[in-house]
Amino acid sequence: MSMSFLFTFTIIISFGLCILYASAELQRLSHSSKHDGALSFLVLGDWGRRGAYNQSQVSFQMGKVGEKLDIDFVVSTGDNFYDNGLTSDHDNAFQESFTQIYTAKSLQKQWYSVLGNHDYRGDAEAQLSPVLREIDSRWLCLRSFIVDSELVEIFFVDTTPFVEEYFTEPQEHKYDWRGIGPQKPYITNLLKDLELALRESTAKWKIVVGHHAIRSVGHHGDTQELINQLLPILQANNIDFYMNGHDHCLEHISDTERGTCLQPHSVPD
């Protein structure tokens, strides 16, 4: 059953200044912090609903919080457009669920987004298209990439291809696997690039973003593929926390042995 509430998770981080060095094969984007070294941003996911399911109300509150915090950017953890992503890079749902909803002045900042499983049920490559950035310059969605903001690096990971059932038991859904190629080499290369980038990172704070929960007590539960393949890399490289959407309950999960914070945020399905 769909929930009637939409939550957004806010991260506020303050940092000093330093010089960072590029590494690995993941595309790296630079986003400078404020002059005093402070950085603040909003995180949300599972949101593209043409204003329904309280999306418009949450957007209004995001605008107020964004103004108060003077945010630098917004992070989306995927499932950007319901129910089945976009049909093309000219789909009106892009403007009806994004441009026409997040209208507050404080939200006219860069949005960094990854794909979720609902996005893969449509034209996944449409969300990656530069055509959308021509329609709304705030929009930037890639499969996996790094946002380098001086003392913090945010590593965005494309988690949907990890989940076996999307390939073996898609039910009535059709997933757009263009650009993925064979599943296993894609995942192997992604993990190799991520591990190298995390290992070589000199950032004081290392944050990883993905769509699927690693651990969860919610409806979807744990994502075993991420436990087996992604979590050991995050633990070995001492990331500070992992943020995700997908499972629609508010949780704060900590790894007591390693100190890693696995931090889902709550959104409706």
Side-chain angles (χ1 to χ4, degrees):
M1 180 180 295
S2 296
M3 297 172 61
S4 59
F5 297 98
L6 178 63
F7 300 89
T8 187
F9 185 63
T10 306
I11 304 291
I12 313 168
I13 308 176
S14 295
F15 302 99
L17 300 175
C18 81
I19 299 174
L20 295 176
Y21 303 91
S23 64
E25 298 298 325
L26 296 179
Q27 182 171 348
R28 181 179 294 269
L29 308 172
S30 296
H31 196 120
S32 299
S33 57
K34 298 180 179 67
H35 294 301
D36 62 357
L39 179 75
S40 61
F41 57 95
L42 303 182
V43 182
L44 76 164
D46 306 63
W47 46 265
R49 301 167 181 274
R50 290 184 167 90
Y53 293 91
N54 289 336
Q55 183 192 14
S56 294
Q57 292 92 323
V58 170
S59 171
F60 177 73
Q61 295 299 327
M62 287 174 62
K64 294 174 65 175
V65 173
E67 181 179 6
K68 182 178 181 180
L69 300 180
D70 187 21
I71 63 168
D72 296 279
F73 54 84
V74 179
V75 168
S76 171
T77 62
D79 279 3
N80 305 313
F81 301 97
Y82 275 82
D83 280 330
N84 298 307
L86 298 178
T87 58
S88 73
D89 53 17
H90 295 285
D91 190 337
N92 290 334
F94 176 71
Q95 296 188 65
E96 293 170 356
S97 291
F98 178 61
T99 301
Q100 296 171 12
I101 300 297
Y102 300 102
T103 57
K105 182 178 180 180
S106 66
L107 303 181
Q108 306 308 303
K109 305 291 178 67
Q110 186 69 64
W111 286 54
Y112 297 110
S113 306
V114 290
L115 298 171
N117 55 297
H118 282 267
D119 300 313
Y120 269 100
R121 294 176 187 175
D123 183 344
E125 294 195 343
Q127 294 191 45
L128 313 178
S129 171
V131 172
L132 296 188
R133 294 197 288 277
E134 293 174 3
I135 297 172
D136 192 322
S137 61
R138 294 177 294 172
W139 182 256
L140 198 155
C141 182
L142 300 171
R143 295 189 195 275
S144 298
F145 60 104
I146 302 169
V147 173
D148 180 341
S149 190
E150 297 166 352
L151 281 187
V152 60
E153 287 183 343
I154 306 176
F155 301 82
F156 292 78
V157 180
D158 183 19
T159 62
T160 301
F162 282 79
V163 182
E164 290 288 341
E165 70 176 49
Y166 299 149
F167 292 87
T168 60
E169 300 178 45
Q171 301 176 357
E172 74 276 13
H173 305 299
K174 183 177 180 180
Y175 292 86
D176 180 9
W177 298 125
R178 292 174 300 159
I180 300 300
Q183 177 196 19
K184 294 188 184 304
Y186 177 81
I187 293 172
T188 298
N189 290 332
L190 172 54
L191 291 173
K192 178 181 177 181
D193 291 344
L194 176 65
E195 184 172 22
L196 178 60
L198 287 170
R199 187 169 67 243
E200 294 187 350
S201 174
T202 59
K204 181 176 178 60
W205 288 80
K206 292 184 284 190
I207 301 169
V208 178
V209 172
H211 177 65
H212 294 77
I214 298 177
R215 294 286 191 181
S216 175
V217 297
H219 170 70
H220 293 294
D222 296 346
T223 306
Q224 193 61 48
E225 295 89 346
L226 297 184
I227 293 173
N228 295 340
Q229 299 175 77
L230 179 61
L231 183 57
I233 293 174
L234 305 188
Q235 292 173 325
N237 289 278
N238 299 313
I239 72 151
D240 293 286
F241 52 95
Y242 174 82
M243 300 185 297
N244 65 271
H246 190 57
D247 220 349
H248 303 164
C249 59
L250 184 62
E251 304 175 70
H252 183 139
I253 301 174
S254 296
D255 181 340
T256 56
E257 293 182 3
R258 301 276 184 162
T260 301
C261 178
L262 308 178
Q263 176 91 56
H265 68 280
S266 180
V267 287
D269 197 282

